[in-house]
Amino acid sequence: MATAIFQTNSFEKLGELGRLTAAIGTQSPLGPVSTWSNALTSAVRMMLPARAEIVMFWGPDFCALYNDAYAPTIGDKHPNALGQSARIWWGELWDDLGPLLQGVRDTGETFWAKDRPFYIERDQGRGETVYFDVSYSPVFDDDGSVGGVLCIVSETTARVLSEREALADRARLWTLARDPFLIADSQGIWRNASPAWTEILGWSEAELTGRTSEWIEHPDDLARTRAELAKLQQGEPTWRFENRLRGKDGEYRWFSWTSAPEGNLLYCVARDITAEREAAEALETAEAALRQAQKMETVGQLTGGVAHDFNNLLQVVTGNLDILQRNLPPEQPRLARAADAAMQGAQRAAMLTQRLLAFSRRQPLAPERIDPNRLIAGMSDMLHRSLGETISVEILPSARTWPVEIDANQLENALLNLAINARDAMPEGGKLTIETANTHLDAHYAARDSEVAPGQYVVICVSDTGTGMDADTLAHAFEPFFTTKEVGRGTGLGLSMVYGFIRQSGGHVRIYSEPGHGTTVKIYLPRYRGQAHVPEATAAEVAPQGKVHETILVCEDNDDVRAYTVEVLRELGYRVIEAGDGPATLAALDAEQGPIDLLFTDVVLPRGMTGAVLAAEAQEKRPALKVLFTTGYARNTIVHHGRLDPGVQLLPKPFTYTDLAAKVREMLDQ
């Protein structure tokens, strides 16, 4: 009895379960701890401090004794199950657990299992199937009989479920993969074929498995395929081996194989490269067409300075004709007709200037309704082949992209041309991204280009991670024969051809680029609606007037353009201050004591100060000053990444009396 008391006291020193075990009394079939046999108390003393999850079922009633590590395993059965019969507290799984425990008691032999499933209720009666690694061993009592069963367990539920999920994921990949997978034996007999084979070739899995692929191999590939199989049998993996297999429709398709032997099996994945092979021929045709197109007759190079000066001349002509038209007396119809004819001629000249600046082409086209996403997807293999392995290609089509009406072959040539330019800008490799999206261009956006009409467009963005272009290069990018490549690498016609083709098709092109940050070319194509666009008639515009207290500072280096602008603004009722360049404008700002409401400045100015620099310095002096830019050419000086900076307002040259009146009034009324 003294020994039992010593053991009872020692239980209390062995953690929370030791304290609870020591308190077991007559409510348990085991009785008080003081009445336990030496074998039982010794087993409990050994079990309680153990770090492993241990439960011992003792006696004919299989009363449960366990340690702290095991308690969480049974959830809310603890602590009521301690010292009580497992038949009661493990009742939901007793039909499964009972025979295992009884078998150990009866035979005295250990039962061991890995990932053994059990159904258990341990969370307020909620049942679940769990998994354990178990080892059930007999514990002998003082008289040598089996007194109980010591169970060392380790719950593996999380791992088992994770592995099963991984297997399910692999099965889903096997089922859903676009590339076909195959498991064959060492003799090449197909054992398992993924569903992609049926999707590509049309043969069912039952038709494909149980034999080699000789029956569907192209006759010219039989010897090569057998030689490759011999290498696999010798343990040598296969990389990019190509052969042809016959589909159920009788057509042969090309496949590129990657295979690896493992034991007596061959694990293979194939890639259908039929489209890629066909694209190679298409690429040769496209490149021939591109070379032929590059030989076409193009307009001569028109420098930015000439274009700017010509637009200034047109501004003077159209502006003064506008003044003349508005001031001719009604009793002089002959003069009015002459002025109208002159204005029409000047407007045609202005349009011609814009077309010359756009380097428009004259070529026969065969436009048709196409799906841009489908066309670009069909070019995927061609692009991969053209750009090489060092450049990755990502195509990001937008859902429900609108159709467009365009010459599909020429559009493919244009995109291929842009891709080749991108490749040359990434000599060390990089990434080419082609995206599509629906967009709407509003009047504000269209104001940046006289040939862009507001409306709905499909935009195709071609972006690279290459060297990019500085502002000077970007300004000349669309000019024919302009190139930054070394002699023999390019004709300088690529971008001008893209530009001309898209313009001729009713769309337009934008380039966004900075040195070291790559280039993005955006092609805007009008949405196709299946019917001709009928322009709506517009009511005659009335020029809004100014107010005498409103002051406008005009900065224009061309004397005639400045004189016309000042005359119009004064006629509209504004107070006007004029200057011929940036420094003179800043001096006028300093000299003027009263408020100045608007700075109207050309973008291109002499003496090294652009309109953008002038505007920034002017607004430092007068933060509330509003700025309106005008230009006939060099707009890149007021953009960043190819976009107008936030808040920038622009009135393109040549502008009319009404255009100027409306834009100034809009700016002042903001």
Side-chain angles (χ1 to χ4, degrees), residues 32-65:
V33 174
S34 60
T35 64
W36 293 0
S37 67
N38 288 330
L40 174 56
T41 54
S42 296
V44 172
R45 289 183 60 195
M46 178 184 64
M47 175 185 67
L48 286 173
R51 296 294 182 90
E53 301 173 49
I54 302 177
V55 57
M56 183 167 59
F57 297 101
W58 191 265
D61 293 321
F62 294 101
C63 295
L65 299 169

PDB file of all heavy atoms in Angstrom, residues 32-65:
ATOM      1  N   PRO A  32      -9.924   3.336  -7.312  1.00  0.00           N
ATOM      2  CA  PRO A  32      -8.910   4.320  -6.944  1.00  0.00           C
ATOM      3  C   PRO A  32      -7.518   3.860  -7.365  1.00  0.00           C
ATOM      4  O   PRO A  32      -7.229   2.668  -7.454  1.00  0.00           O
ATOM      5  CB  PRO A  32      -9.051   4.409  -5.428  1.00  0.00           C
ATOM      6  CG  PRO A  32     -10.411   3.893  -5.130  1.00  0.00           C
ATOM      7  CD  PRO A  32     -10.706   2.852  -6.143  1.00  0.00           C
ATOM      8  N   VAL A  33      -6.656   4.837  -7.590  1.00  0.00           N
ATOM      9  CA  VAL A  33      -5.286   4.546  -8.027  1.00  0.00           C
ATOM     10  C   VAL A  33      -4.548   3.695  -7.007  1.00  0.00           C
ATOM     11  O   VAL A  33      -3.702   2.857  -7.357  1.00  0.00           O
ATOM     12  CB  VAL A  33      -4.536   5.873  -8.287  1.00  0.00           C
ATOM     13  CG1 VAL A  33      -3.077   5.624  -8.609  1.00  0.00           C
ATOM     14  CG2 VAL A  33      -5.206   6.648  -9.405  1.00  0.00           C
ATOM     15  N   SER A  34      -4.903   3.874  -5.749  1.00  0.00           N
ATOM     16  CA  SER A  34      -4.207   3.134  -4.694  1.00  0.00           C
ATOM     17  C   SER A  34      -4.440   1.633  -4.785  1.00  0.00           C
ATOM     18  O   SER A  34      -3.688   0.845  -4.204  1.00  0.00           O
ATOM     19  CB  SER A  34      -4.660   3.652  -3.324  1.00  0.00           C
ATOM     20  OG  SER A  34      -6.060   3.482  -3.168  1.00  0.00           O
ATOM     21  N   THR A  35      -5.472   1.236  -5.547  1.00  0.00           N
ATOM     22  CA  THR A  35      -5.774  -0.191  -5.667  1.00  0.00           C
ATOM     23  C   THR A  35      -5.198  -0.802  -6.936  1.00  0.00           C
ATOM     24  O   THR A  35      -5.380  -1.988  -7.188  1.00  0.00           O
ATOM     25  CB  THR A  35      -7.301  -0.411  -5.664  1.00  0.00           C
ATOM     26  OG1 THR A  35      -7.873   0.210  -6.824  1.00  0.00           O
ATOM     27  CG2 THR A  35      -7.941   0.188  -4.418  1.00  0.00           C
ATOM     28  N   TRP A  36      -4.535  -0.004  -7.747  1.00  0.00           N
ATOM     29  CA  TRP A  36      -4.035  -0.491  -9.025  1.00  0.00           C
ATOM     30  C   TRP A  36      -2.844  -1.417  -8.823  1.00  0.00           C
ATOM     31  O   TRP A  36      -2.078  -1.281  -7.850  1.00  0.00           O
ATOM     32  CB  TRP A  36      -3.618   0.655  -9.935  1.00  0.00           C
ATOM     33  CG  TRP A  36      -4.785   1.524 -10.391  1.00  0.00           C
ATOM     34  CD1 TRP A  36      -6.092   1.370 -10.068  1.00  0.00           C
ATOM     35  CD2 TRP A  36      -4.676   2.675 -11.217  1.00  0.00           C
ATOM     36  NE1 TRP A  36      -6.850   2.324 -10.654  1.00  0.00           N
ATOM     37  CE2 TRP A  36      -6.004   3.171 -11.383  1.00  0.00           C
ATOM     38  CE3 TRP A  36      -3.641   3.341 -11.834  1.00  0.00           C
ATOM     39  CZ2 TRP A  36      -6.282   4.299 -12.137  1.00  0.00           C
ATOM     40  CZ3 TRP A  36      -3.914   4.446 -12.595  1.00  0.00           C
ATOM     41  CH2 TRP A  36      -5.233   4.925 -12.749  1.00  0.00           C
ATOM     42  N   SER A  37      -2.659  -2.285  -9.786  1.00  0.00           N
ATOM     43  CA  SER A  37      -1.501  -3.193  -9.733  1.00  0.00           C
ATOM     44  C   SER A  37      -0.226  -2.428 -10.051  1.00  0.00           C
ATOM     45  O   SER A  37      -0.243  -1.338 -10.640  1.00  0.00           O
ATOM     46  CB  SER A  37      -1.686  -4.327 -10.740  1.00  0.00           C
ATOM     47  OG  SER A  37      -1.647  -3.810 -12.060  1.00  0.00           O
ATOM     48  N   ASN A  38       0.873  -3.057  -9.628  1.00  0.00           N
ATOM     49  CA  ASN A  38       2.167  -2.425  -9.908  1.00  0.00           C
ATOM     50  C   ASN A  38       2.403  -2.284 -11.409  1.00  0.00           C
ATOM     51  O   ASN A  38       2.989  -1.296 -11.872  1.00  0.00           O
ATOM     52  CB  ASN A  38       3.295  -3.242  -9.281  1.00  0.00           C
ATOM     53  CG  ASN A  38       3.308  -3.120  -7.766  1.00  0.00           C
ATOM     54  OD1 ASN A  38       2.906  -2.090  -7.227  1.00  0.00           O
ATOM     55  ND2 ASN A  38       3.746  -4.165  -7.073  1.00  0.00           N
ATOM     56  N   ALA A  39       1.960  -3.273 -12.183  1.00  0.00           N
ATOM     57  CA  ALA A  39       2.176  -3.205 -13.634  1.00  0.00           C
ATOM     58  C   ALA A  39       1.436  -2.016 -14.231  1.00  0.00           C
ATOM     59  O   ALA A  39       1.959  -1.302 -15.101  1.00  0.00           O
ATOM     60  CB  ALA A  39       1.717  -4.502 -14.289  1.00  0.00           C
ATOM     61  N   LEU A  40       0.188  -1.800 -13.784  1.00  0.00           N
ATOM     62  CA  LEU A  40      -0.599  -0.692 -14.322  1.00  0.00           C
ATOM     63  C   LEU A  40       0.010   0.649 -13.937  1.00  0.00           C
ATOM     64  O   LEU A  40       0.181   1.540 -14.783  1.00  0.00           O
ATOM     65  CB  LEU A  40      -2.041  -0.792 -13.829  1.00  0.00           C
ATOM     66  CG  LEU A  40      -2.971   0.382 -14.204  1.00  0.00           C
ATOM     67  CD1 LEU A  40      -3.004   0.588 -15.703  1.00  0.00           C
ATOM     68  CD2 LEU A  40      -4.374   0.152 -13.648  1.00  0.00           C
ATOM     69  N   THR A  41       0.349   0.793 -12.631  1.00  0.00           N
ATOM     70  CA  THR A  41       0.901   2.081 -12.214  1.00  0.00           C
ATOM     71  C   THR A  41       2.237   2.355 -12.888  1.00  0.00           C
ATOM     72  O   THR A  41       2.544   3.498 -13.261  1.00  0.00           O
ATOM     73  CB  THR A  41       1.052   2.121 -10.685  1.00  0.00           C
ATOM     74  OG1 THR A  41       1.817   0.985 -10.252  1.00  0.00           O
ATOM     75  CG2 THR A  41      -0.304   2.091 -10.004  1.00  0.00           C
ATOM     76  N   SER A  42       3.028   1.344 -13.074  1.00  0.00           N
ATOM     77  CA  SER A  42       4.316   1.537 -13.753  1.00  0.00           C
ATOM     78  C   SER A  42       4.108   1.970 -15.201  1.00  0.00           C
ATOM     79  O   SER A  42       4.806   2.858 -15.717  1.00  0.00           O
ATOM     80  CB  SER A  42       5.137   0.246 -13.708  1.00  0.00           C
ATOM     81  OG  SER A  42       5.461  -0.096 -12.385  1.00  0.00           O
ATOM     82  N   ALA A  43       3.142   1.345 -15.873  1.00  0.00           N
ATOM     83  CA  ALA A  43       2.866   1.707 -17.264  1.00  0.00           C
ATOM     84  C   ALA A  43       2.370   3.146 -17.366  1.00  0.00           C
ATOM     85  O   ALA A  43       2.742   3.892 -18.281  1.00  0.00           O
ATOM     86  CB  ALA A  43       1.849   0.747 -17.856  1.00  0.00           C
ATOM     87  N   VAL A  44       1.519   3.541 -16.393  1.00  0.00           N
ATOM     88  CA  VAL A  44       1.001   4.906 -16.410  1.00  0.00           C
ATOM     89  C   VAL A  44       2.113   5.907 -16.150  1.00  0.00           C
ATOM     90  O   VAL A  44       2.203   6.964 -16.797  1.00  0.00           O
ATOM     91  CB  VAL A  44      -0.141   5.056 -15.393  1.00  0.00           C
ATOM     92  CG1 VAL A  44      -0.564   6.520 -15.269  1.00  0.00           C
ATOM     93  CG2 VAL A  44      -1.331   4.196 -15.796  1.00  0.00           C
ATOM     94  N   ARG A  45       3.008   5.574 -15.155  1.00  0.00           N
ATOM     95  CA  ARG A  45       4.130   6.479 -14.868  1.00  0.00           C
ATOM     96  C   ARG A  45       5.021   6.642 -16.098  1.00  0.00           C
ATOM     97  O   ARG A  45       5.559   7.720 -16.352  1.00  0.00           O
ATOM     98  CB  ARG A  45       4.942   5.941 -13.697  1.00  0.00           C
ATOM     99  CG  ARG A  45       4.232   6.055 -12.359  1.00  0.00           C
ATOM    100  CD  ARG A  45       5.127   5.563 -11.240  1.00  0.00           C
ATOM    101  NE  ARG A  45       6.347   6.341 -11.163  1.00  0.00           N
ATOM    102  CZ  ARG A  45       7.451   5.977 -10.488  1.00  0.00           C
ATOM    103  NH1 ARG A  45       7.470   4.815  -9.874  1.00  0.00           N
ATOM    104  NH2 ARG A  45       8.497   6.761 -10.445  1.00  0.00           N
ATOM    105  N   MET A  46       5.178   5.622 -16.878  1.00  0.00           N
ATOM    106  CA  MET A  46       5.994   5.699 -18.089  1.00  0.00           C
ATOM    107  C   MET A  46       5.270   6.489 -19.185  1.00  0.00           C
ATOM    108  O   MET A  46       5.888   7.236 -19.954  1.00  0.00           O
ATOM    109  CB  MET A  46       6.306   4.290 -18.581  1.00  0.00           C
ATOM    110  CG  MET A  46       7.111   4.251 -19.882  1.00  0.00           C
ATOM    111  SD  MET A  46       7.350   2.567 -20.477  1.00  0.00           S
ATOM    112  CE  MET A  46       5.650   2.098 -20.825  1.00  0.00           C
ATOM    113  N   MET A  47       3.962   6.379 -19.243  1.00  0.00           N
ATOM    114  CA  MET A  47       3.187   6.986 -20.317  1.00  0.00           C
ATOM    115  C   MET A  47       3.007   8.493 -20.128  1.00  0.00           C
ATOM    116  O   MET A  47       3.106   9.272 -21.085  1.00  0.00           O
ATOM    117  CB  MET A  47       1.811   6.306 -20.382  1.00  0.00           C
ATOM    118  CG  MET A  47       0.840   6.932 -21.380  1.00  0.00           C
ATOM    119  SD  MET A  47      -0.798   6.163 -21.295  1.00  0.00           S
ATOM    120  CE  MET A  47      -1.303   6.707 -19.648  1.00  0.00           C
ATOM    121  N   LEU A  48       2.746   8.939 -18.893  1.00  0.00           N
ATOM    122  CA  LEU A  48       2.344  10.324 -18.658  1.00  0.00           C
ATOM    123  C   LEU A  48       3.358  11.366 -19.144  1.00  0.00           C
ATOM    124  O   LEU A  48       2.986  12.349 -19.786  1.00  0.00           O
ATOM    125  CB  LEU A  48       2.026  10.534 -17.172  1.00  0.00           C
ATOM    126  CG  LEU A  48       0.704   9.923 -16.692  1.00  0.00           C
ATOM    127  CD1 LEU A  48       0.572  10.046 -15.182  1.00  0.00           C
ATOM    128  CD2 LEU A  48      -0.484  10.606 -17.386  1.00  0.00           C
ATOM    129  N   PRO A  49       4.639  11.233 -18.886  1.00  0.00           N
ATOM    130  CA  PRO A  49       5.573  12.281 -19.330  1.00  0.00           C
ATOM    131  C   PRO A  49       5.981  12.167 -20.798  1.00  0.00           C
ATOM    132  O   PRO A  49       6.720  13.021 -21.293  1.00  0.00           O
ATOM    133  CB  PRO A  49       6.779  12.069 -18.412  1.00  0.00           C
ATOM    134  CG  PRO A  49       6.761  10.610 -18.092  1.00  0.00           C
ATOM    135  CD  PRO A  49       5.314  10.219 -18.038  1.00  0.00           C
ATOM    136  N   ALA A  50       5.546  11.137 -21.487  1.00  0.00           N
ATOM    137  CA  ALA A  50       5.987  10.924 -22.867  1.00  0.00           C
ATOM    138  C   ALA A  50       5.461  12.038 -23.779  1.00  0.00           C
ATOM    139  O   ALA A  50       4.365  12.557 -23.584  1.00  0.00           O
ATOM    140  CB  ALA A  50       5.521   9.563 -23.367  1.00  0.00           C
ATOM    141  N   ARG A  51       6.278  12.378 -24.786  1.00  0.00           N
ATOM    142  CA  ARG A  51       5.871  13.397 -25.768  1.00  0.00           C
ATOM    143  C   ARG A  51       4.983  12.808 -26.861  1.00  0.00           C
ATOM    144  O   ARG A  51       4.250  13.533 -27.527  1.00  0.00           O
ATOM    145  CB  ARG A  51       7.114  14.027 -26.404  1.00  0.00           C
ATOM    146  CG  ARG A  51       7.991  14.786 -25.428  1.00  0.00           C
ATOM    147  CD  ARG A  51       7.281  16.015 -24.887  1.00  0.00           C
ATOM    148  NE  ARG A  51       8.125  16.771 -23.998  1.00  0.00           N
ATOM    149  CZ  ARG A  51       8.930  17.759 -24.387  1.00  0.00           C
ATOM    150  NH1 ARG A  51       9.015  18.053 -25.670  1.00  0.00           N
ATOM    151  NH2 ARG A  51       9.660  18.412 -23.516  1.00  0.00           N
ATOM    152  N   ALA A  52       5.047  11.529 -27.090  1.00  0.00           N
ATOM    153  CA  ALA A  52       4.215  10.888 -28.106  1.00  0.00           C
ATOM    154  C   ALA A  52       2.766  10.827 -27.629  1.00  0.00           C
ATOM    155  O   ALA A  52       2.476  10.887 -26.433  1.00  0.00           O
ATOM    156  CB  ALA A  52       4.726   9.484 -28.402  1.00  0.00           C
ATOM    157  N   GLU A  53       1.847  10.720 -28.584  1.00  0.00           N
ATOM    158  CA  GLU A  53       0.433  10.578 -28.257  1.00  0.00           C
ATOM    159  C   GLU A  53       0.183   9.123 -27.841  1.00  0.00           C
ATOM    160  O   GLU A  53       0.286   8.206 -28.662  1.00  0.00           O
ATOM    161  CB  GLU A  53      -0.433  10.928 -29.471  1.00  0.00           C
ATOM    162  CG  GLU A  53      -0.231  12.339 -30.003  1.00  0.00           C
ATOM    163  CD  GLU A  53      -0.987  12.567 -31.290  1.00  0.00           C
ATOM    164  OE1 GLU A  53      -2.189  12.241 -31.345  1.00  0.00           O
ATOM    165  OE2 GLU A  53      -0.364  13.060 -32.257  1.00  0.00           O
ATOM    166  N   ILE A  54      -0.159   8.907 -26.561  1.00  0.00           N
ATOM    167  CA  ILE A  54      -0.312   7.544 -26.036  1.00  0.00           C
ATOM    168  C   ILE A  54      -1.628   7.439 -25.271  1.00  0.00           C
ATOM    169  O   ILE A  54      -1.965   8.304 -24.459  1.00  0.00           O
ATOM    170  CB  ILE A  54       0.855   7.161 -25.105  1.00  0.00           C
ATOM    171  CG1 ILE A  54       2.193   7.279 -25.849  1.00  0.00           C
ATOM    172  CG2 ILE A  54       0.674   5.742 -24.571  1.00  0.00           C
ATOM    173  CD1 ILE A  54       3.400   6.994 -24.966  1.00  0.00           C
ATOM    174  N   VAL A  55      -2.360   6.366 -25.546  1.00  0.00           N
ATOM    175  CA  VAL A  55      -3.541   6.018 -24.772  1.00  0.00           C
ATOM    176  C   VAL A  55      -3.429   4.525 -24.433  1.00  0.00           C
ATOM    177  O   VAL A  55      -2.971   3.724 -25.256  1.00  0.00           O
ATOM    178  CB  VAL A  55      -4.846   6.313 -25.551  1.00  0.00           C
ATOM    179  CG1 VAL A  55      -4.890   5.590 -26.864  1.00  0.00           C
ATOM    180  CG2 VAL A  55      -6.077   5.963 -24.694  1.00  0.00           C
ATOM    181  N   MET A  56      -3.817   4.171 -23.220  1.00  0.00           N
ATOM    182  CA  MET A  56      -3.791   2.768 -22.806  1.00  0.00           C
ATOM    183  C   MET A  56      -5.200   2.374 -22.397  1.00  0.00           C
ATOM    184  O   MET A  56      -5.860   3.072 -21.616  1.00  0.00           O
ATOM    185  CB  MET A  56      -2.814   2.567 -21.642  1.00  0.00           C
ATOM    186  CG  MET A  56      -2.693   1.096 -21.225  1.00  0.00           C
ATOM    187  SD  MET A  56      -1.289   0.816 -20.114  1.00  0.00           S
ATOM    188  CE  MET A  56      -1.706   1.904 -18.753  1.00  0.00           C
ATOM    189  N   PHE A  57      -5.659   1.249 -22.970  1.00  0.00           N
ATOM    190  CA  PHE A  57      -6.981   0.715 -22.637  1.00  0.00           C
ATOM    191  C   PHE A  57      -6.775  -0.504 -21.732  1.00  0.00           C
ATOM    192  O   PHE A  57      -6.222  -1.518 -22.155  1.00  0.00           O
ATOM    193  CB  PHE A  57      -7.730   0.325 -23.916  1.00  0.00           C
ATOM    194  CG  PHE A  57      -8.006   1.491 -24.823  1.00  0.00           C
ATOM    195  CD1 PHE A  57      -7.216   1.711 -25.947  1.00  0.00           C
ATOM    196  CD2 PHE A  57      -9.041   2.382 -24.550  1.00  0.00           C
ATOM    197  CE1 PHE A  57      -7.463   2.778 -26.787  1.00  0.00           C
ATOM    198  CE2 PHE A  57      -9.295   3.450 -25.385  1.00  0.00           C
ATOM    199  CZ  PHE A  57      -8.501   3.658 -26.502  1.00  0.00           C
ATOM    200  N   TRP A  58      -7.232  -0.405 -20.466  1.00  0.00           N
ATOM    201  CA  TRP A  58      -6.899  -1.408 -19.448  1.00  0.00           C
ATOM    202  C   TRP A  58      -8.141  -2.171 -19.014  1.00  0.00           C
ATOM    203  O   TRP A  58      -9.223  -1.618 -18.894  1.00  0.00           O
ATOM    204  CB  TRP A  58      -6.274  -0.721 -18.241  1.00  0.00           C
ATOM    205  CG  TRP A  58      -5.660  -1.692 -17.274  1.00  0.00           C
ATOM    206  CD1 TRP A  58      -6.248  -2.222 -16.169  1.00  0.00           C
ATOM    207  CD2 TRP A  58      -4.365  -2.239 -17.352  1.00  0.00           C
ATOM    208  NE1 TRP A  58      -5.402  -3.077 -15.525  1.00  0.00           N
ATOM    209  CE2 TRP A  58      -4.210  -3.113 -16.243  1.00  0.00           C
ATOM    210  CE3 TRP A  58      -3.302  -2.109 -18.237  1.00  0.00           C
ATOM    211  CZ2 TRP A  58      -3.048  -3.826 -16.007  1.00  0.00           C
ATOM    212  CZ3 TRP A  58      -2.143  -2.807 -17.981  1.00  0.00           C
ATOM    213  CH2 TRP A  58      -2.023  -3.664 -16.884  1.00  0.00           C
ATOM    214  N   GLY A  59      -7.910  -3.428 -18.787  1.00  0.00           N
ATOM    215  CA  GLY A  59      -8.946  -4.273 -18.217  1.00  0.00           C
ATOM    216  C   GLY A  59      -9.965  -4.738 -19.232  1.00  0.00           C
ATOM    217  O   GLY A  59      -9.948  -4.340 -20.399  1.00  0.00           O
ATOM    218  N   PRO A  60     -10.886  -5.583 -18.785  1.00  0.00           N
ATOM    219  CA  PRO A  60     -11.901  -6.137 -19.699  1.00  0.00           C
ATOM    220  C   PRO A  60     -12.843  -5.061 -20.231  1.00  0.00           C
ATOM    221  O   PRO A  60     -13.465  -5.241 -21.277  1.00  0.00           O
ATOM    222  CB  PRO A  60     -12.649  -7.153 -18.834  1.00  0.00           C
ATOM    223  CG  PRO A  60     -12.391  -6.730 -17.419  1.00  0.00           C
ATOM    224  CD  PRO A  60     -11.023  -6.137 -17.395  1.00  0.00           C
ATOM    225  N   ASP A  61     -12.963  -3.933 -19.503  1.00  0.00           N
ATOM    226  CA  ASP A  61     -13.826  -2.842 -19.976  1.00  0.00           C
ATOM    227  C   ASP A  61     -13.066  -1.858 -20.866  1.00  0.00           C
ATOM    228  O   ASP A  61     -13.631  -0.871 -21.332  1.00  0.00           O
ATOM    229  CB  ASP A  61     -14.419  -2.079 -18.792  1.00  0.00           C
ATOM    230  CG  ASP A  61     -15.401  -2.929 -18.001  1.00  0.00           C
ATOM    231  OD1 ASP A  61     -16.151  -3.683 -18.653  1.00  0.00           O
ATOM    232  OD2 ASP A  61     -15.405  -2.834 -16.766  1.00  0.00           O
ATOM    233  N   PHE A  62     -11.750  -2.113 -21.071  1.00  0.00           N
ATOM    234  CA  PHE A  62     -10.911  -1.228 -21.891  1.00  0.00           C
ATOM    235  C   PHE A  62     -11.038   0.221 -21.423  1.00  0.00           C
ATOM    236  O   PHE A  62     -11.397   1.130 -22.173  1.00  0.00           O
ATOM    237  CB  PHE A  62     -11.283  -1.338 -23.377  1.00  0.00           C
ATOM    238  CG  PHE A  62     -10.983  -2.689 -23.975  1.00  0.00           C
ATOM    239  CD1 PHE A  62     -11.992  -3.618 -24.161  1.00  0.00           C
ATOM    240  CD2 PHE A  62      -9.673  -3.029 -24.324  1.00  0.00           C
ATOM    241  CE1 PHE A  62     -11.722  -4.867 -24.703  1.00  0.00           C
ATOM    242  CE2 PHE A  62      -9.411  -4.275 -24.869  1.00  0.00           C
ATOM    243  CZ  PHE A  62     -10.416  -5.207 -25.060  1.00  0.00           C
ATOM    244  N   CYS A  63     -10.748   0.427 -20.117  1.00  0.00           N
ATOM    245  CA  CYS A  63     -10.801   1.774 -19.555  1.00  0.00           C
ATOM    246  C   CYS A  63      -9.616   2.596 -20.088  1.00  0.00           C
ATOM    247  O   CYS A  63      -8.477   2.119 -20.126  1.00  0.00           O
ATOM    248  CB  CYS A  63     -10.780   1.728 -18.034  1.00  0.00           C
ATOM    249  SG  CYS A  63     -12.251   0.938 -17.344  1.00  0.00           S
ATOM    250  N   ALA A  64      -9.899   3.852 -20.457  1.00  0.00           N
ATOM    251  CA  ALA A  64      -8.909   4.687 -21.139  1.00  0.00           C
ATOM    252  C   ALA A  64      -8.084   5.489 -20.149  1.00  0.00           C
ATOM    253  O   ALA A  64      -8.633   6.187 -19.286  1.00  0.00           O
ATOM    254  CB  ALA A  64      -9.601   5.628 -22.109  1.00  0.00           C
ATOM    255  N   LEU A  65      -6.756   5.381 -20.284  1.00  0.00           N
ATOM    256  CA  LEU A  65      -5.795   6.225 -19.579  1.00  0.00           C
ATOM    257  C   LEU A  65      -4.856   6.810 -20.637  1.00  0.00           C
ATOM    258  O   LEU A  65      -4.401   6.090 -21.526  1.00  0.00           O
ATOM    259  CB  LEU A  65      -5.010   5.411 -18.558  1.00  0.00           C
ATOM    260  CG  LEU A  65      -5.829   4.740 -17.448  1.00  0.00           C
ATOM    261  CD1 LEU A  65      -4.972   3.750 -16.672  1.00  0.00           C
ATOM    262  CD2 LEU A  65      -6.408   5.802 -16.509  1.00  0.00           C
TER     263      LEU A  65
END
